[in-house]
Amino acid sequence: VIDSGNYKTSLLIKKLSNILRYTFDQKHQDVYMLQEMAWIEQYLFLQKSRYEDMFDYEIDFPPEFEDWPCRKLMLQPFVENSILHGFDGRQKGGIIRIQGEACGDRFKLIRSDNGIGMDQATEDIIRNILLRPSVQHHHSVGIGISNVVTRMKMYYKDELEIVLNTGQGKGTSFTFLIPKIKNTERIGEKRCAS
């Protein structure tokens, strides 16, 4: 692809291979925020290339939190839901923002969009999942969120807090208040695919 001068396709292939390598690495489920942010940026880059003008994205991540321990792929279903559901029917103008900042002894991570928001029934289901993710839910809404919140709760215990803010026509945001894990022996070497 590079030899033929198609640099855009070459870049897309490289980012896709980085995403697949990170996703399928079974040895390292516990990672650092630096790795997770690099993965989500590449994921958003590929989705933006696919959907073009439908949405854009911004990531504002303070470098002092690069070594903050986290669970791999913890943001993916929240970002994917913005694209698939939040921007449903939209041709352009969507925006996904990921922002991080200090919040006492925790790290605050906010994933927000300007999408269509959730209807009350969907909001109730997602709020229930955030409170009790491991409880068997008898509906097809929020399966990805339920799986990732279950993994996050196992990792961070009761110190993790996730706050949903949404409304029809008002977009959706998830605010994660993430504690720092003291025992980080499990985390693989810090690496970031570019």
Side-chain angles (χ1 to χ4, degrees), residues 26-84:
Q26 295 298 316
K27 291 185 289 185
H28 301 110
Q29 294 301 309
D30 305 325
V31 295
Y32 291 104
M33 279 291 177
L34 172 68
Q35 295 164 287
E36 186 67 7
M37 288 299 115
W39 186 91
I40 206 72
E41 190 283 326
Q42 292 180 87
Y43 176 80
L44 282 165
F45 182 90
L46 286 176
Q47 294 292 3
K48 167 82 176 141
S49 298
R50 176 181 177 195
Y51 291 105
E52 298 178 341
D53 294 334
M54 184 177 86
F55 78 95
D56 210 336
Y57 63 92
E58 298 171 4
I59 298 175
D60 181 13
F61 186 79
E64 61 265 27
F65 292 102
E66 290 179 347
D67 291 336
W68 201 273
C70 67
R71 289 297 287 172
K72 184 195 285 188
L73 304 175
M74 69 180 208
L75 287 178
Q76 192 275 336
F78 297 95
V79 170
E80 181 179 42
N81 282 347
S82 286
I83 297 167
L84 297 180

Side-chain angles (χ1 to χ4, degrees), residues 138-184:
H138 301 288
H139 42 71
S140 61
V141 175
I143 293 170
I145 289 176
S146 177
N147 290 339
V148 79
V149 172
T150 297
R151 291 190 310 116
M152 289 174 74
K153 294 268 188 183
M154 289 171 63
Y155 188 68
Y156 294 115
K157 311 295 184 213
D158 292 333
E159 295 178 66
L160 173 72
E161 186 178 349
I162 305 173
V163 179
L164 167 65
N165 187 6
T166 190
Q168 285 192 287
K170 298 179 182 176
T172 300
S173 72
F174 289 92
T175 301
F176 303 84
L177 294 165
I178 303 171
K180 186 145 189 180
I181 296 296
K182 302 194 177 30
N183 180 6
T184 58

